[in-house]
Amino acid sequence: MTGNPYGEFDDARREYVIHRPDTPLPWLNYLGQDELIGLCTNTAGGFTFWRDARLRRLTRYRHNNVPLDLGGRYLYVNDGGTVWNPGWKPTKTPLERYECRHGLGYTRLVGARDGVEVKQLFFVPPGETAELWQTTVTNTGAAAKDLRLYSYVEFCFYEALNDMTNLQRTYSIGEVEVEGPAIYHTTEYRERRSHYTLFACTRETQGFDTSRDAFVGVHNGLHEASVPFTGASQGSIAHGWNPIGSHELRLRLEPGASETFAFVLAYVDQGEEPRFERPGVVNKATGRRLLERLAEPGAVDTAFDELRAMWDGLLSRFQVECPEPSLGRMLNTWNQYQCMTTFNLSRSASLYETGIGRGMGFRDSNQDLLGFVHLVPDRARQRILDLAATQLADGTCYHQYQPLTKKGNAEIGGDFYDDHLWLILSTCAYVKETGDTSILAAPVGYADRPGSRDDLLHHLETSIAYTLANRGAHSLPLIGHADWNDCLNLNCFSTEPDESFQTTGDVEGSAAESVMIAGLFLYASRELAALYRHLGRPDDEERLGRAYDEMLAAVEEHGWDGDWYLRAFDAEGRAVGSHERDEGAIFIESQGWCVLGGAGVGNGRARKALESVHERLYTEHGVLLHQPAFTRYHPELGEISSYPPGYKENASVFCHAHTWIDLAWCLLGDGDRALDYYLSICPATKEDRIETYRNEPYVYSQMIAGRDAAVPGEARNSWLTGTAAWSFVVAAQGILGVQPDYDGLRIDPCVPPSWDRFHVTRRFRGVVHEITVLNPNGVCGGVRAMTVDGRRVPGNLIPLSTGTGTIHVEVVLGAEQAAEAFG
Ligand code: BGC
């Protein structure tokens, strides 16, 4: 048992079990793995959308409600006048038993009182656009029970921003149709939509409501909704206002008896089918078929088995047994699961991202892919091409795009001069994982040249060319609106509260430069050079090598501050992240990327930079983004100095950037540091301090409040963060050292000397690699000997095998063939 009174990991079942509904913050899970996505908290709160949280939202959710997390997939139980919910909310009637199990793509709830137990299982079957709520009601008492159950969802008019802002219109457009247990939300179907939302029950129902006013009562809260308390559905039909879906089910259960049925919440696209059965009446054939299919005996169980099998298959691609339980727990289950979620959603929809403001981030999605590509490479391939299609002909990119339209978001535009370089990292990762070089020739246009076609490889070249051609006085890359740190705005100078830090300020003609982008360029150009080597194009490899050398020279000449790398040069050419500054003297992004890019090798700077980070920025909660925190607003630095000290980009532990330092330690071969850093932000280690940490202990959060904050160690913004993918890279490729490469799997671990062995199962290019790594001499890394199926293999590359079966690899760590000394 840990010191966490709210819940615990159930590793065998790959579930996180929550024992109390009143968690320090709502603890979220995601249902759905591809098109239909539901957010589901531990009290059944959340909403559901199809593909795009802004443009195809099926159910409503008011973020930042009072109380937090109100609205969701509710079931009210009226047992002889006492009304309760199995997930506790919204009535919060005390439960004798409550349990929530968040699993991979599903959430189970159990609520019980007065001899009635309700179990609910929420999930989206693979390949379906329907969310199912399998529900089992059991009479656990000694007397017969007459129960009334009321389901409840509130429909959204699909376009989520309009839905909450344009009430003078939306209050007049709501339409529904009801057919037995099937409620059809058909708003705007008559005119321009060819899709509707179906909310149905696989069991016979005894009543329904579709008007929120009728079901809840205009002046009531959901906890006192009038229909569940009066016990009588109104049969209301919504004409405008706020359509909802609610079924009434009457159940008589003898002692010991139980009944199982399911609610179905589906997005139904009419496709080519006629849209109307007769004038004004929606063609429900597709919805009816779906419902019939799901109402077949055993259909829901089969669908759930498919979901479980899908995840078992996915996770079997990477599994580890190692001496550190938190690393194993995260890597084997939760981290990979979170990587799927960040891949699906980028930063669009969570409890902290409303699904309205941001679509798919360009740099975010390219990085998310690094933790996902081994799971479903085909989807990664498509994502790379979608991202590339939002690149402009000059090499810059739209910063974000909408998932539904795949069109760049004009409101924010582009000109974040790191964005385009991340495309190189994702593409190379994809080719290393799959060997599929055909993607490089895939035709992709430029977003500002309708009808244009280029191949993906050329997009990567365009990215390199842009950075090379847009450098400042120190030959370092210009920063534009910002680099990875969206809040370091060196061209903005905003003094008006209503301006956006991201888009205000002209980047044309500005001289502000980024050392972090320079480091990223080093990394990206080396990656591309290695790709050319693989493709057998020595001239291109050499050309990239020259570009690399040139950038490296600029970094070493102008980017070094004495004990660490500078962060940037501002628009006036003054150093940012320098000991000369009283605030923001040292930043981690440039230390991470310069070292990862190969700067500081042979001159001791790489190690020096990381030691400076350790000395000044390392805390028990992780590495701070910079120090000292900004205590006053610096218009020449922008949004970063607008946050209170210790929060967000102003000196919190911004977990995403923390991981780069960790990876850099791996490169330097310090296994104790690597693991220590890994664990410092690892959510599974936060259970003992959960009252402070507050967020879900099974997924990474974007930030943990830094030492300058009121409550250091408090996490914010869970789930959608680049930390997921990068932590996977750190653990899988850095610490365990299992690295996909063009010609095989490379083994280059960086573990604490105290680890005597570990085992990794890795599916790679169709072959299961069972890799046992032994550490008889207590070293951090270096491969002394390696055998593949008993045969000695030189070096540390497991060559590609031709078969599709399993190969057994044994690796002995030791000094003899240690990787080249670094730093
Ligand atoms: C954004 C990232 C950005 C990071 C640091 C996140 O909220 O999604 O794109 O790199 O913040 O500013």
Side-chain angles (χ1 to χ4, degrees):
M1 274 306 268
T2 66
N4 178 3
Y6 300 97
E8 63 193 315
F9 288 91
D10 182 341
D11 293 324
R13 293 174 62 167
R14 293 187 170 133
E15 291 174 338
Y16 192 84
V17 196
I18 302 168
H19 303 301
R20 287 170 51 168
D22 58 340
T23 43
L25 285 168
W27 283 359
L28 183 68
N29 192 17
Y30 286 85
L31 317 174
Q33 28 287 324
D34 191 352
E35 301 220 312
L36 193 86
I37 303 281
L39 281 74
C40 185
T41 68
N42 61 305
T43 55
F47 60 102
T48 302
F49 61 90
W50 180 77
R51 277 200 190 169
D52 191 313
R54 174 162 177 176
L55 299 177
R56 290 291 182 276
R57 194 173 299 201
L58 307 191
T59 54
R60 276 193 187 145
Y61 191 71
R62 281 166 282 273
H63 282 81
N64 201 6
N65 213 333
V66 182
L68 263 188
D69 185 28
L70 189 65
R73 32 187 86 66
Y74 290 147
L75 185 68
Y76 295 84
V77 179
N78 181 325
D79 176 9
T82 303
V83 179
W84 55 278
N85 303 96
W88 189 54
K89 276 184 179 172
T91 59
K92 298 207 291 182
T93 307
L95 297 170
E96 286 155 17
R97 177 159 177 241
Y98 160 91
E99 186 182 85
C100 169
R101 285 177 172 263
H102 283 324
L104 306 180
Y106 67 90
T107 289
R108 289 178 188 280
L109 275 175
V110 183
R113 63 168 286 146
D114 303 329
V116 177
E117 180 194 74
V118 178
K119 288 187 178 168
Q120 289 202 284
L121 167 65
F122 304 101
F123 72 104
V124 176
E128 295 278 11
T129 58
E131 179 182 299
L132 309 185
W133 316 355
Q134 190 184 48
T135 305
T136 300
V137 187
T138 306
N139 180 352
T140 58
K145 285 278 186 188
D146 283 303
L147 304 171
R148 290 183 183 205
L149 267 51
Y150 299 90
S151 63
Y152 178 80
V153 294
E154 183 174 349
F155 294 118
C156 180
F157 295 135
Y158 303 112
E159 207 286 284
L161 181 62
N162 193 60
D163 182 76
M164 64 169 72
T165 51
N166 195 8
L167 304 184
Q168 64 80 29
R169 168 174 162 81
T170 59
Y171 278 177
S172 294
I173 62 174
E175 289 184 280
V176 295
E177 288 187 28
V178 180
E179 184 180 75
I183 295 168
Y184 292 82
H185 175 226
T186 57
T187 300
E188 290 188 337
Y189 182 88
R190 221 161 13 83
E191 324 86 65
R192 293 184 300 170
R193 294 189 187 274
S194 56
H195 57 87
Y196 53 78
T197 306
L198 167 66
F199 183 46
C201 185
T202 59
R203 175 198 188 274
E204 198 180 278
T205 52
Q206 281 69 45
F208 68 86
D209 274 290
T210 64
S211 152
R212 194 178 84 192
D213 290 352
F215 183 83
V216 181
V218 174
H219 296 289
N220 288 352
L222 292 179
H223 63 289
E224 57 193 356
S226 65
V227 164
F229 279 88
T230 54
S233 285
Q234 304 292 298
S236 58
I237 293 289
H239 299 285
W241 300 109
N242 297 291
I244 58 139
S246 173
H247 307 93
E248 178 179 307
L249 279 71
R250 294 188 197 158
L251 268 64
R252 181 176 173 83
L253 291 174
E254 298 302 326
S258 70
E259 226 193 284
T260 298
F261 47 89
F263 295 97
V264 177
L265 177 69
Y267 175 84
V268 182
D269 192 329
Q270 274 303 99
E272 299 303 307
E273 304 245 338
R275 291 175 58 210
F276 294 96
E277 289 176 0
R278 47 179 203 278
V281 178
V282 169
N283 178 0
K284 305 182 187 67
T286 317
R288 276 188 212 117
R289 277 199 301 273
L290 176 80
L291 196 54
E292 271 164 28
R293 196 153 48 75
L294 293 168
E296 292 277 323
V300 175
D301 289 335
T302 307
F304 186 61
D305 290 346
E306 274 169 31
L307 177 70
R308 296 288 294 220
M310 183 199 93
W311 271 107
D312 286 348
L314 290 176
L315 295 180
S316 70
R317 291 165 169 257
F318 194 107
Q319 288 291 295
V320 58
E321 285 164 36
C322 71
E324 175 48 59
S326 294
L327 187 142
R329 170 174 275 170
M330 290 308 295
L331 210 49
N332 289 338
T333 304
W334 293 97
N335 190 188
Q336 295 194 69
Y337 179 50
Q338 188 177 4
C339 285
M340 166 77 97
T341 308
T342 54
F343 177 86
N344 283 335
L345 294 167
S346 192
R347 307 294 167 269
S348 68
S350 71
L351 295 179
Y352 312 98
E353 280 103 355
T354 61
I356 292 171
R358 313 210 265 176
M360 311 298 283
F362 191 93
R363 75 161 82 90
D364 296 330
S365 295
N366 278 298
Q367 292 173 81
D368 294 341
L369 196 139
L370 304 177
F372 173 84
V373 62
H374 69 291
L375 291 174
V376 193
D378 285 352
R379 290 189 61 205
R381 185 184 207 273
Q382 186 57 49
R383 177 63 52 79
I384 290 170
L385 299 177
D386 290 347
L387 285 162
T390 65
Q391 185 170 36
L392 311 183
D394 71 356
T396 57
C397 307
Y398 275 107
H399 199 45
Q400 293 158 1
Y401 73 90
Q402 274 313 121
L404 189 71
T405 60
K406 298 187 178 176
K407 292 269 179 295
N409 175 349
E411 269 160 46
I412 183 136
D415 290 337
F416 294 76
Y417 291 166
D418 64 316
D419 273 343
H420 48 278
L421 292 173
W422 300 104
L423 186 63
I424 298 174
L425 274 63
S426 60
T427 303
C428 291
Y430 169 79
V431 178
K432 286 179 186 172
E433 180 67 38
T434 59
D436 170 22
T437 49
S438 76
I439 191 175
L440 302 169
V444 199
Y446 291 99
D448 55 343
R449 299 265 166 85
S452 63
R453 285 185 113 185
D454 207 341
D455 56 42
L456 178 66
L457 186 58
H458 203 253
H459 276 258
L460 307 187
E461 282 289 356
T462 314
S463 298
I464 291 284
Y466 186 86
T467 300
L468 286 176
N470 289 276
R471 287 182 288 166
H474 304 90
S475 300
L476 296 166
L478 297 178
I479 197 169
H481 288 310
D483 60 24
W484 169 85
N485 190 329
D486 270 331
C487 300
L488 184 63
N489 315 115
L490 304 182
N491 295 308
C492 175
F493 302 99
S494 177
T495 49
E496 292 297 321
D498 306 323
E499 291 172 349
S500 152
F501 288 103
Q502 271 68 49
T503 53
T504 304
D506 195 357
V507 297
E508 287 290 314
S510 160
E513 295 162 282
S514 163
V515 178
M516 186 225 148
I517 300 183
L520 179 61
F521 180 88
L522 293 178
Y523 190 93
S525 56
R526 208 161 53 172
E527 283 284 283
L528 196 54
L531 178 62
Y532 280 128
R533 192 176 325 133
H534 173 65
L535 297 175
R537 290 170 58 166
D539 293 350
D540 290 314
E541 184 190 345
E542 246 173 66
R543 177 172 50 81
L544 266 293
R546 283 194 300 278
Y548 175 92
D549 291 343
E550 208 184 293
M551 190 66 80
L552 182 64
V555 166
E556 299 292 19
E557 189 181 342
H558 302 292
W560 183 249
D561 189 52
D563 289 319
W564 56 81
Y565 286 101
L566 297 173
R567 178 65 178 82
F569 287 98
D570 70 16
E572 302 288 317
R574 284 171 310 202
V576 177
S578 154
H579 68 282
E580 286 169 13
R581 299 250 179 178
D582 62 339
E583 301 195 330
I586 172 171
F587 284 71
I588 60 175
E589 301 97 312
S590 44
Q591 319 314 321
W593 280 104
C594 287
V595 175
L596 291 174
V601 180
N603 59 15
R605 287 180 175 179
R607 182 165 294 278
K608 180 74 197 159
L610 293 196
E611 289 296 353
S612 297
V613 168
H614 191 70
E615 199 180 300
R616 289 159 188 263
L617 303 177
Y618 181 75
T619 74
E620 58 177 326
H621 309 295
V623 185
L624 304 170
L625 207 48
H626 63 261
Q627 280 288 284
F630 297 106
T631 59
R632 51 184 202 282
Y633 179 48
H634 300 254
E636 78 285 6
L637 302 181
E639 186 173 6
I640 192 166
S641 57
S642 74
Y643 285 111
Y647 295 97
K648 293 281 290 176
E649 277 86 342
N650 189 9
S652 76
V653 174
F654 211 95
C655 299
H656 182 160
H658 163 111
T659 62
W660 300 330
I661 300 295
D662 204 356
L663 202 56
W665 278 120
C666 293
L667 210 60
L668 263 59
D670 190 327
D672 279 325
R673 284 269 158 89
L675 185 65
D676 196 33
Y677 277 50
Y678 176 84
L679 294 176
S680 68
I681 62 158
C682 176
T685 66
K686 305 296 182 185
E687 293 213 288
D688 288 328
R689 51 175 87 165
I690 202 71
E691 299 286 4
T692 305
Y693 186 77
R694 298 181 79 201
N695 269 355
E696 298 89 335
Y698 43 88
V699 287
Y700 288 95
S701 289
Q702 181 201 55
M703 60 150 276
I704 302 173
R707 76 160 72 110
D708 305 283
V711 186
E714 186 191 39
R716 303 264 166 106
N717 307 340
S718 57
W719 271 103
L720 302 185
T721 162
T723 318
W726 279 109
S727 291
F728 181 79
V729 172
V730 167
Q733 300 181 24
I735 297 175
L736 303 175
V738 179
Q739 305 167 358
D741 211 334
Y742 296 112
D743 301 315
L745 261 189
R746 193 170 293 286
I747 307 296
D748 189 10
C750 177
V751 295
S754 58
W755 280 25
D756 60 348
R757 62 180 287 144
F758 64 90
H759 182 89
V760 170
T761 304
R762 176 65 154 93
R763 176 179 280 276
F764 180 66
R765 311 267 184 107
V767 175
V768 178
H769 294 61
E770 294 289 355
I771 306 164
T772 304
V773 179
L774 304 171
N775 189 14
N777 300 329
V779 295
C780 290
V783 170
R784 191 172 78 195
M786 186 162 81
T787 57
V788 176
D789 282 338
R791 277 194 310 278
R792 189 73 195 256
V793 170
N796 67 347
L797 185 76
I798 308 169
L800 293 176
S801 342
T802 40
T804 51
T806 299
I807 59 173
H808 295 270
V809 181
E810 194 172 281
V811 178
V812 181
L813 299 184
E816 262 113 288
Q817 294 183 24
E820 202 180 306
F822 228 89

